[in-house]
Amino acid sequence: MIEQKGATILTRDELKIVHLVLNTDCNAWDRPNTPGSPGVCRFCYRERNRVFADPDTVRRVIDLIRHESAAQRIVFTGGDPLMPYDNHLEVALAHAVDRGFETNLHTNGLLLADRYSGLRQYVTLYSLAIDGPDATTADWFRGTGFFERFLSNVEMLVADQRRLAFNTFTTTESVRWLLQLGQQISNIAARTSVEYWLISQYRPIGRPNSRKSEIYGYDPATFVAAVDQVRGIVGNLEVFAQPTRAPDDPYPFRAWILADGTVTADLGSVAAPRNAVLGNMLSDGLEPLIRRAFALRDTQFPASNSNDHATPTEN
């Protein structure tokens, strides 16, 4: 920790990235399934409840993140932050940039073209979901027409020379096509800047489901081997892997802040039914709540490395 103008703040080593949730809704849940699909985004573990805030509250939340931490980036996530109602996304992005943050828009991209002109000047990085190298695979995960929209978004962003990142979930079947997807991402990286690729297995987090486990719960060693192969074809592109963890093997620490100021933390346990709710930063402060989360995590995983707090992973 360091002192700034008499206040204790979280260093970048402790909290490099903050995830700001403007809403937990997602339009992908309403898309038609492709033949053979178990249902759109069955890997998702978000609870479907709206987050209610007003523009002034969102600005106060961002101001407090700046005042009580040295975090360098805010990830705007959800659900999907591009839902077709006023969740104050443009206000939040503009204010975050004004306060010196990098901004990561984490989206499935289905509504990106609709809102692009109003937000492009405020977004540092566009993190797009893509789970397969063709419509057969990608639409199986996220609904009919998803892959076509993904390609359209990539062309739009590449033409505008935007910085990109990618987020991929895998199954027993789709992991076999990871090399082909890696080649596509490598080709995109040759045309515009690509910062990272996050590849994940299924995460039960306390809600085990036999159907999901059958689809997503394959051997983590197979997953790790597939990701290692991909690293060999994407050059210097940073690849993060999130294999399914054992109960005593914690996931990297992540802080999630709702637009109303509620602070939750991903403490890393697959046994937790949901993220721990720590309090509201507008009344309790951000720094004390995050330190409470660190203490809870250290209690759960006393042997875990404290440097895990800074692991740069997304959802």
Side-chain angles (χ1 to χ4, degrees):
M1 72 181 72
I2 60 177
E3 298 290 329
Q4 179 174 300
K5 295 182 180 179
T8 303
I9 73 169
L10 298 154
T11 67
R12 286 190 182 184
D13 286 342
E14 293 172 310
L15 193 68
K16 183 177 183 180
I17 295 171
V18 172
H19 296 77
L20 183 59
V21 180
L22 300 178
N23 58 269
T24 56
D25 299 16
C26 178
N27 60 311
W29 293 327
D30 297 324
R31 295 183 67 79
N33 299 334
T34 58
S37 172
V40 173
C41 299
R42 282 292 180 93
F43 51 80
C44 185
Y45 50 82
R46 284 278 175 263
E47 296 181 34
R48 301 185 187 188
N49 58 292
R50 286 283 300 276
V51 178
F52 295 98
D54 55 73
D56 286 342
T57 300
V58 173
R59 292 188 188 98
R60 288 176 61 206
V61 166
I62 292 170
D63 285 344
L64 196 56
I65 296 171
R66 170 53 69 223
H67 182 67
E68 297 196 23
S69 80
Q72 67 184 32
R73 176 175 291 179
I74 296 179
V75 179
F76 291 82
T77 185
D80 195 281
L82 293 172
M83 287 296 287
Y85 48 71
D86 187 6
N87 59 2
H88 319 300
L89 173 61
E90 287 82 0
V91 168
L93 284 167
H95 196 68
V97 170
D98 183 64
R99 292 297 181 265
F101 289 104
E102 294 182 345
T103 58
N104 181 339
L105 185 63
H106 192 82
T107 176
N108 61 35
L110 291 170
L111 296 173
L112 178 59
D114 297 341
R115 297 180 72 171
Y116 184 64
S117 62
L119 56 80
R120 64 172 295 279
Q121 64 181 311
Y122 305 119
V123 177
T124 307
L125 178 73
Y126 296 84
S127 182
L128 302 178
I130 181 62
D131 307 303
D134 52 36
T136 300
T137 309
D139 289 6
W140 185 92
F141 279 87
R142 298 182 191 259
T144 300
F146 180 86
F147 187 70
E148 181 180 359
R149 185 63 57 87
F150 169 78
L151 293 179
S152 176
N153 285 334
V154 167
E155 289 306 310
M156 176 181 70
L157 295 168
V158 168
D160 205 15
Q161 286 297 285
R162 300 292 95 183
R163 193 193 309 178
L164 306 183
F166 298 100
N167 173 40
T168 297
F169 277 86
T170 60
T171 69
T172 305
E173 293 297 316
S174 73
V175 73
R176 297 185 299 173
W177 305 108
L178 207 56
L179 279 175
Q180 286 87 335
L181 181 56
Q183 187 59 62
Q184 290 185 8
I185 289 175
S186 182
N187 292 341
I188 295 168
R191 301 170 61 201
T192 195
S193 175
V194 177
E195 182 174 310
Y196 68 83
W197 183 16
L198 172 63
I199 311 172
S200 302
Q201 266 189 291
Y202 172 58
R203 184 175 181 188
I205 61 166
R207 297 180 221 170
N209 176 300
S210 59
R211 176 63 172 146
K212 289 183 180 181
S213 295
E214 178 184 335
I215 297 167
Y216 302 106
Y218 60 99
D219 182 10
T222 300
F223 170 82
V224 171
V227 174
D228 285 344
Q229 279 190 305
V230 162
R231 287 192 172 101
I233 67 167
V234 296
N236 295 325
L237 175 62
E238 193 157 22
V239 177
F240 297 109
Q242 286 196 133
T244 299
R245 306 293 180 99
D248 59 349
D249 182 13
Y251 282 84
F253 177 86
R254 289 174 290 187
W256 306 82
I257 299 173
L258 307 189
D260 63 4
T262 301
V263 179
T264 74
D266 183 346
L267 299 182
S269 172
V270 297
R274 58 184 56 85
N275 286 351
V277 177
L278 303 168
N280 191 293
M281 64 187 292
L282 298 178
S283 57
D284 304 326
L286 175 63
E287 184 266 346
L289 295 180
I290 296 300
R291 296 209 182 281
R292 185 185 305 170
F294 289 167
L296 289 170
R297 182 179 172 91
D298 290 344
T299 299
Q300 281 188 311
F301 303 104
S304 67
N305 190 328
S306 61
N307 289 334
D308 210 15
H309 299 162
T311 303
T313 57
E314 312 296 331
N315 175 30

